[in-house]
Amino acid sequence: MDHSGHHHTDAHDHATHGAQEGHVAHAGGAHHEGAPWRMASKATLHCLTGCAIGEILGMVIGTALLWGNAETMVLAIALAFLFGYSFTLFAVRRAGLDLKSAIKVALAADTVSIAVMELVDNGIIALTPGAMDAHLSDGLFWAALLGGFAVAFLITTPVNKWMIGRGKGHAVVHAYH
């Protein structure tokens, strides 16, 4: 995907898109090494929002259906990816991309971010004593889940910064803003 002359911005005002602070220029296909932390944080928060919605919904559904831990976790992870991708998919579709192209952009933009986030978050839940067996009404369940999200955000943000700085990950979405 050619991003020649494209600039990335934290704001989505198309009239001033190329003149705002916090851009990663992609002139001639060369990518600047240093994406701004704010940009990486926003990309991570974007993915985390979708992941959190999907994961919490999966936990609620699995618990309501009296599923075991493994089945519930698989559902929660699948829904985290689904919701994580859907946020990007809807945004690029709204920008006019056809469905097939929008799916490709969403996969390119979010796969690594969501995978790292889910690995960290679910790893923390799995390693927190008693969290896997805690019920939705238990403070331990929510503490492990929210703590996992916080740690996942802290670990995934530098990953996104590195990827955006190379024109990968969430950087591919900004051609459609």
Side-chain angles (χ1 to χ4, degrees), residues 100-176:
K100 184 177 178 183
S101 297
I103 290 170
K104 287 180 182 179
V105 168
L107 291 173
D110 295 333
T111 299
V112 172
S113 181
I114 295 171
V116 170
M117 206 166 292
E118 287 301 300
L119 179 67
V120 171
D121 177 50
N122 284 285
I124 288 172
I125 293 169
L127 295 174
T128 301
M132 292 294 292
D133 296 319
H135 296 279
L136 295 175
S137 60
D138 295 338
L140 177 60
F141 169 81
W142 292 103
L145 184 65
L146 297 176
F149 288 152
V151 173
F153 178 83
L154 293 173
I155 291 174
T156 308
T157 299
V159 172
N160 282 331
K161 182 181 186 317
W162 181 82
M163 290 177 56
I164 292 167
R166 284 154 184 75
K168 308 253 186 245
H170 198 74
V172 301
V173 172
H174 291 281
Y176 305 100

Side-chain angles (χ1 to χ4, degrees), residues 6-7 13 19 34-35 43 46-47 59-61 64 86 107 119 126 165 168 172-173:
H6 174 73
H7 296 280
D13 177 7
H46 171 89
C47 285
M59 297 282 188
V60 169
I61 292 169
S86 70
L107 291 173
L119 179 67
K168 308 253 186 245
V172 301
V173 172

Side-chain angles (χ1 to χ4, degrees), residues 16-41:
T16 59
H17 192 75
Q20 296 190 6
E21 186 179 323
H23 299 255
V24 175
H26 304 284
H31 302 291
H32 292 274
E33 295 299 317
W37 281 105
R38 180 174 174 175
M39 185 187 308
S41 294

Side-chain angles (χ1 to χ4, degrees), residues 1-118:
M1 176 175 307
D2 183 13
H3 287 68
S4 297
H6 174 73
H7 296 280
H8 178 88
T9 182
D10 290 329
H12 301 297
D13 177 7
H14 294 281
T16 59
H17 192 75
Q20 296 190 6
E21 186 179 323
H23 299 255
V24 175
H26 304 284
H31 302 291
H32 292 274
E33 295 299 317
W37 281 105
R38 180 174 174 175
M39 185 187 308
S41 294
K42 287 182 81 168
T44 305
L45 188 58
H46 171 89
C47 285
L48 181 62
T49 302
C51 288
I53 291 168
E55 196 160 323
I56 292 169
L57 184 60
M59 297 282 188
V60 169
I61 292 169
T63 300
L65 296 175
L66 303 175
W67 287 1
N69 290 336
E71 296 87 357
T72 299
M73 189 174 271
V74 167
L75 176 63
I77 292 169
L79 289 176
F81 272 91
L82 178 70
F83 278 86
Y85 287 138
S86 70
F87 279 29
T88 299
L89 184 67
F90 291 132
V92 295
R93 287 282 292 148
R94 192 173 49 236
L97 227 56
D98 65 275
L99 183 60
K100 184 177 178 183
S101 297
I103 290 170
K104 287 180 182 179
V105 168
L107 291 173
D110 295 333
T111 299
V112 172
S113 181
I114 295 171
V116 170
M117 206 166 292
E118 287 301 300

